[in-house]
Amino acid sequence: MEPSASEPTLCGKSAGQVMAEITRFHGFPAPGVMIGAFMVDWAQEWIGRKTEADAIVETRRCLPDAVQILTPCTLGNGWLRVLDWDRFALTLYDRVDRRGVRVWLDAGKAAAFPEVQGWFLKHIAKRELPLDVLLKTIVEARRAVLSCREVVVTDFLRRPKKQSVGICPGCGEAFDPRAGDRCRGCCQGAYFEYR
Ligand code: ZN
């Protein structure tokens, strides 16, 4: 889809393209990931698109996927940290000087877009808010429902690298010896039974 004048671009892509990528990656065009895309776009613009940035998101819902779709930061490469705080906020920061910006979905500003606010605060039941209407409002609102402030990141920086690898006497598999005598699976109990 060609970006049109009325259609916003996000990280160099049209809103339609981003929606298609969200559908492929996330399974459906989730409103939270679409709002997250506007958040990532704003944060990236602020710190400079070429800055090598790490990301921290403050909820496990939706936002990690917006970061993984639009930036090189993933859970697997360790450039994305996910905090299970259930706050709809993310920070992108320069991994050298740790300066960056934090962007969040601002419940106060969302009042100007009742569909967005109703979805965010769960004031409107899902069946009363068609997905296409909500998505259209999100694209219209762009950054008007967001807030953004500069930050210096002081904690939750890059995860510590593995120092050494041991073999667990319980299960015979490789593990990080910092966990103790046995691996965390053996200490905490398995989530499965072998069949
Ligand atoms: Zn073990």
Side-chain angles (χ1 to χ4, degrees):
M1 194 191 297
E2 285 294 309
S4 69
S6 61
E7 196 181 22
T9 55
L10 296 140
C11 306
K13 296 165 182 181
S14 73
Q17 270 175 315
V18 170
M19 202 92 80
E21 284 182 38
I22 290 171
T23 305
R24 182 187 58 77
F25 189 87
H26 187 84
F28 74 106
V33 188
M34 196 62 200
I35 293 173
F38 282 96
M39 293 165 71
V40 171
D41 178 62
W42 199 6
Q44 249 190 16
E45 182 182 291
W46 196 312
I47 63 170
R49 304 238 182 245
K50 290 197 175 127
T51 302
E52 287 209 1
D54 281 0
I56 297 174
V57 305
E58 299 178 23
T59 174
R60 297 163 64 98
R61 298 170 206 273
C62 291
L63 279 188
D65 286 358
V67 171
Q68 293 187 104
I69 290 167
L70 292 168
T71 80
C73 304
T74 72
L75 278 171
N77 66 22
W79 301 344
L80 166 63
R81 292 287 302 256
V82 178
L83 309 177
D84 192 8
W85 293 356
D86 217 14
R87 285 204 303 201
F88 212 80
L90 62 84
T91 294
L92 290 193
Y93 65 97
D94 185 318
R95 67 177 67 128
V96 179
D97 67 13
R98 298 183 295 155
R99 289 168 182 273
V101 287
R102 180 172 182 269
V103 183
W104 66 97
L105 176 52
D106 190 318
K109 292 182 181 179
F113 298 87
E115 290 89 355
V116 176
Q117 192 191 45
W119 164 83
F120 185 41
L121 302 180
K122 294 204 184 296
H123 290 169
I124 306 178
K126 252 186 182 171
R127 62 180 178 282
E128 284 160 24
L129 184 57
L131 183 59
D132 57 333
V133 173
L134 177 55
L135 286 170
K136 193 165 162 281
T137 311
I138 289 167
V139 173
E140 277 165 14
R142 305 188 188 192
R143 295 174 183 175
V145 291
L146 309 177
S147 285
C148 184
R149 283 192 69 176
E150 288 185 89
V151 294
V152 177
V153 174
T154 55
D155 202 349
F156 300 116
L157 294 153
R158 300 287 295 276
R159 64 182 174 188
K161 286 214 158 42
K162 250 194 213 177
Q163 310 283 338
S164 62
V165 179
I167 298 296
C168 171
C171 60
E173 295 183 33
F175 80 120
D176 184 340
R178 284 176 301 185
D181 296 340
R182 283 142 61 95
C183 77
R184 287 175 70 170
C186 285
C187 291
Q188 291 178 5
Y191 64 91
F192 59 82
E193 284 174 9
Y194 284 120
R195 301 179 60 200

